[in-house]
């Protein structure tokens, strides 16, 4: 888990959280998620210091999150800034709006990218949200 | 091609433009004009923006300079460009407007393109257009695009270009408002070639910035020059008259088209925008399903093989929604072995037993079982809904959201039938919020408001918006209604805690946790003993990244109600967020113990979060053990040293 960390990235924390969510969901749920999403996302995140880090969310084969480029090839690459990813994960920004305003760029299957929203929010709702 | 750069320059400094000479020539040569008007101008126009780059512009200017060097300076024909100014100017306005809207999207582009075509087709209307219309039209989008694509911030620094905008903006008053930085730069760019023309082309590419400063300085003389435009207007009319016969028809047509364009091209009003977004989302979603390359045969087979029990789970975790965004839930399922139901010999009322148990801080699971027994016995309490709603609220307090929601749906339905429409809706809205059914939550809050405050007017539009519009718009509208009510109450000196709760929930759904916190706090000032409210305050703080402060609020809730399972769960979540994983696990375990106290079902959510805590502790073995399908014995974890 600790191997997901990259210093100076908010994304790093979110990804770690995401990973712990994926690890703790039951196999049944994992299979469902994979069936529903069926894609490999590669995130190319750059921060304010112009550093770039790459993570991969595999929701096609293994249902895991790891650091570095996708193996095998990603179905879609998302190129965005650390800040934008944090906002997306917090639900402050919607993926479509981010895309239309040029904050988010994609390579590959764009339709798949729209599923990342749901993935992030479901992970958020699943883990660590207090209830009213 | 070579003239275009200069003609576009004429936009900013009309009389100084060397092209005036050319116009002189064309006055003598009409036959040529007729040719152009009739055919090729519109044909050529279909080159769309983006084709001419800054580079080309500069080269063109250089070529044009050569061309004009021999000719004498004269100013009288300049004003002939006065008429065309209308067109580009409004076009700029439009472009400016489009840009200033946050999402310059495909739709906008499509419109833009359309606009171009229409505008181009109709350019033939005036005399000036004969020779240069096509050129102007074509070059116009060019520089604009250039700025669009590679914005050069150094051009932005000359605010004096605003004054140009003012000058030309007069033909179209909206101009000034619509123009943003982009269009300023656009105009600035026009200032440049004209400056070149006057300065006899001494400019080089490297001197651009200097030229801008110069151009800025030249605006005062430009003022004087505008007055000249008026003087010489006659010559324009002459040319126009000469060509009137060929163009009379086209001109009226142009006005028509132009009016139409002006009416239709205003940025769509807000509600259209939201409707459009909702439709777009719908389209995307439907597309997404197609996109799954869904193999029906394989899917059927899979469903068949995996057995029906998994299928049932599928349905419960991904409910369908009705047109108001309410999830379609299956009916409430009663606990199969209810000890109270079996010992039903006694004649006491289960409902009153349950109530007294809730009052005395008894076990929530026990109270829920009593209520179930009461319902199954037909002891439904007031109006036939009381037991249902109580059951739902008890289940929710016991961290059994799914069951609680279904009981509340049933209770609300019965309450409506019994004429007590407002009862239970607030609890149900909160339950929807917890399960991230935002739209359902908005709908329910609105219905609650209508039932509770029939005098409060809810705009028709708001009610419709819930059905058709995008979630953010619905949120804004519903919040508006609640805020109005809260303000009205405030001015009367009253504070209704329920309205505050509703507002708090609205802010909470929109992740405005600070404002949610304020709402719950003001509700607490009226009801300081409401443990539900303390918990809600706590979760607003916790989700707003203040888990430490949240713990204080949870403590209040648990002091008032020690068996409040949800608060215990929330304490666990806060611990998890602080990084106290072991404590978090202990809280989850104690919540699970309370749910299991009478062999009741436990909550999957609790198990799931417990597993997260174990993984964070680097104990995958425990996480594996903590799967509900393994039916773990909680004693196992006690042996691992967890104290709960």
């Amino acid at each position: 888990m600790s191997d997901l960390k990259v210093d100076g990235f908010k994304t790093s924390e979110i990804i770690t959280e995401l990973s712990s969510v994926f690890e703790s969901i039951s196999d049944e749920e994992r299979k469902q998620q994979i069936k529903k999403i069926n894609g490999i996302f590669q995130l190319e995140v750059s921060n304010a210091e112009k550093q770039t880090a790459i993570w991969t969310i595999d929701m096609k084969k293994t249902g895991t999150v790891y650091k570095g480029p996708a193996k095998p090839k990603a179905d879609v690459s998302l190129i965005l800034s650390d800040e934008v990813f944090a906002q997306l994960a917090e639900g402050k920004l919607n993926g479509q709006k981010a895309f239309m305003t040029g904050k988010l760029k994609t390579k590959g299957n764009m339709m798949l990218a729209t599923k990342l929203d749901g993935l992030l929010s479901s992970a958020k709702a699943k883990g660590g949200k207090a209830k009213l | 091609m070579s003239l275009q750069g200069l003609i576009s320059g004429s936009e900013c400094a009309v009389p100084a433009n060397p092209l005036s000479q050319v116009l002189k020539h064309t006055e003598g040569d009409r036959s040529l004009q007729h040719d152009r008007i009739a055919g090729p101008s519109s044909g050529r126009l279909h080159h769309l923006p983006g084709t001419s780059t800054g580079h080309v512009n500069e080269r063109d200017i250089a070529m044009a300079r050569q061309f004009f060097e021999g000719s004498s300076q004269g100013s009288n024909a300049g004003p002939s460009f006065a008429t065309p100014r209308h067109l580009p100017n409004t076009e700029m306005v439009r472009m400016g407007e489009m840009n200033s809207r946050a999402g310059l999207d495909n739709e906008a582009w499509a419109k833009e393109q359309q606009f171009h075509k229409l505008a181009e087709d109709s350019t033939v209307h005036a005399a000036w257009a004969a020779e240069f219309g096509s050129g102007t039209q074509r070059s116009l989008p060019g520089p604009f695009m250039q700025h669009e694509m590679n914005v050069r911030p150094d051009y932005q620094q000359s605010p004096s270009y605003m004054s140009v905008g003012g000058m030309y903006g007069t033909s179209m008053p909206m101009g000034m408002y619509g123009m943003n930085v982009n269009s300023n730069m656009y105009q600035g760019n026009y200032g440049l070639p004209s400056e070149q023309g006057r300065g006899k082309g001494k400019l080089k590419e490297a001197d651009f910035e200097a030229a801008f400063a110069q151009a800025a300085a030249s605006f005062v003389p430009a003022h004087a020059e505008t007055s000249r435009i008026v003087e010489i207007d006659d010559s324009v009319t002459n040319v126009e008259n000469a060509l009137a016969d060929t163009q009379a028809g086209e001109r009226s047509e142009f006005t028509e088209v132009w009016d139409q364009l002006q009416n239709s091209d205003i940025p769509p009003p807000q509600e259209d925008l939201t409707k459009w977004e909702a439709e777009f989302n719908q389209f995307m979603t439907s597309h997404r399903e197609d996109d799954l390359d869904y193999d029906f045969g394989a899917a059927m087979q899979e469903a068949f093989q995996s057995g029906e029990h998994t299928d049932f789970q599928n349905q419960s975790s991904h409910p369908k929604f009705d047109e108001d965004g309410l999830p379609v839930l299956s009916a409430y399922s009663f606990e199969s072995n209810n000890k109270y139901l079996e010992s039903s010999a006694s004649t006491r009322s289960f409902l009153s037993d349950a109530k007294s148990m809730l009052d005395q801080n008894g076990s929530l699971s026990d109270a829920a079982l009593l209520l179930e027994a009461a319902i199954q016995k037909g002891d439904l309490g007031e109006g036939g809904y009381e037991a249902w709603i109580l059951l739902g609220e008890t289940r929710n307090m016991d961290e059994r959201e799914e069951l609680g929601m279904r009981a509340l749906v049933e209770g609300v339905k019965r309450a409506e039938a019994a004429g007590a429409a407002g009862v239970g809706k607030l609890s149900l809205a909160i339950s929807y919020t917890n399960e991230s059914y935002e739209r359902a939550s908005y709908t329910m809050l609105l219905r609650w408001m209508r039932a509770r405050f029939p005098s409060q007017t809810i705009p028709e539009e708001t009610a419709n918006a819930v059905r058709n519009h995008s979630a953010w718009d619905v949120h804004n509208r519903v919040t508006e209604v609640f805020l109005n009510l809260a303000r009205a109450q405030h001015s009367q000196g009253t504070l209704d805690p329920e309205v505050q709760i509703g507002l708090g929930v609205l802010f909470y759904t929109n992740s405005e946790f600070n404002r949610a916190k304020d709402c719950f706090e003001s509700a607490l000032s009226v009801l300081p003993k409401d443990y539900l409210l303390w918990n809600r305050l706590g979760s607003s703080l916790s989700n707003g990244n203040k888990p430490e402060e949240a713990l204080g609020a949870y403590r209040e809730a648990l002091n008032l109600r020690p068996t409040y399972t949800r608060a215990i769960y929330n304490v666990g979540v806060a611990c998890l967020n602080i990084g106290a994983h072991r404590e978090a696990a202990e809280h989850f375990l104690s919540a699970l113990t309370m749910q299991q106290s009478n062999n009741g079902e436990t909550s999957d959510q609790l198990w799931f979060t417990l597993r997260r805590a174990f993984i964070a502790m680097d104990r995958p073995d425990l996480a594996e053990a903590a799967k509900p399908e393994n039916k773990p014995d909680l004693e196992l974890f006690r042996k691992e040293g967890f104290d709960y």
Side-chain angles (χ1 to χ4, degrees), chain B residues 153-428:
Chain B
D154 41 333
Y155 288 174
Q156 293 178 21
Q157 66 192 5
S158 39
S160 49
Y161 289 126
M162 281 306 283
S163 69
V164 194
M167 241 165 72
Y168 291 122
T170 46
S171 65
M172 179 81 179
M174 271 302 289
M176 281 315 290
Y177 307 108
M179 279 177 211
N180 59 1
V181 184
N182 253 349
S183 47
N184 288 338
M185 294 193 307
Y186 176 58
Q187 293 191 327
N189 198 28
Y190 283 118
L192 180 68
S194 77
E195 183 62 24
Q196 277 186 323
R198 218 191 314 187
K200 300 271 180 347
K202 280 178 214 146
L203 279 175
K204 283 176 204 137
E205 186 181 343
D207 293 331
F208 262 36
E209 268 191 72
F212 264 78
Q214 250 180 306
S218 74
F219 285 133
V220 186
H223 251 294
E225 283 156 3
T226 39
S227 61
R228 261 193 287 167
I229 292 174
V230 185
E231 284 171 26
I232 321 156
D233 244 343
D234 288 2
S235 67
V236 190
T237 358
N238 286 342
V239 183
E240 265 185 82
N241 288 343
L243 291 166
D245 48 346
T246 48
Q247 278 151 29
E250 276 145 311
R251 183 160 193 184
S252 63
E253 205 178 308
F254 166 79
T255 349
E256 212 173 284
V257 173
W258 181 240
D259 285 347
Q260 210 182 325
L261 270 174
Q262 275 198 308
N263 294 335
S264 66
D265 268 356
I266 325 160
Q270 191 77 346
E271 56 265 35
D272 288 356
L273 195 69
T274 57
K275 206 175 282 176
W276 176 79
E277 188 176 322
E279 274 167 23
F280 178 74
N281 281 340
Q282 252 171 27
F283 170 76
M284 291 294 265
T285 334
S286 65
H287 211 79
R288 218 175 290 172
E289 264 137 38
D290 303 341
D291 185 56
L292 269 173
D293 48 40
Y294 208 55
D295 184 344
F296 247 104
M300 288 295 279
Q301 202 179 356
E302 210 176 303
F304 186 74
Q305 282 167 349
S306 60
E308 59 178 24
H309 62 282
T310 48
D311 237 27
F312 267 43
Q313 276 176 357
N314 266 354
Q315 276 173 4
S316 64
S317 60
H318 300 292
K320 299 213 176 325
F321 296 92
D322 71 6
E323 57 176 1
D324 283 334
L326 302 179
V328 179
L329 302 167
S330 50
Y332 187 87
S333 52
F334 292 102
E335 209 82 42
S336 51
N337 48 348
N338 189 336
K339 59 184 176 190
Y340 295 103
L341 205 55
E342 277 149 25
S343 64
S344 61
S346 65
T347 49
R348 61 204 176 128
S349 156
F350 289 124
L351 182 61
S352 51
D353 274 9
K355 278 188 193 164
S356 65
M357 188 180 268
L358 287 172
D359 285 342
Q360 288 158 18
N361 264 334
S363 151
L364 292 170
S365 302
D366 280 343
L369 284 180
L370 270 174
L371 285 165
E372 284 193 6
I375 290 166
Q376 280 166 309
K377 285 274 167 193
D379 182 10
L380 297 172
E382 189 191 332
Y385 57 82
E386 192 188 3
W388 276 109
I389 288 175
L390 210 54
L391 175 60
E393 287 173 352
T394 310
R395 284 298 190 192
N396 281 352
M397 275 170 65
D398 201 21
E399 190 50 52
R400 305 288 307 277
E401 197 78 68
E402 191 69 37
L403 278 175
M405 199 190 293
R406 285 193 243 166
L408 279 171
V409 168
E410 182 69 31
V412 164
K413 205 163 71 191
R414 283 163 185 267
E416 256 174 5
V423 184
K425 283 191 172 141
L426 205 52
S427 301
L428 184 53

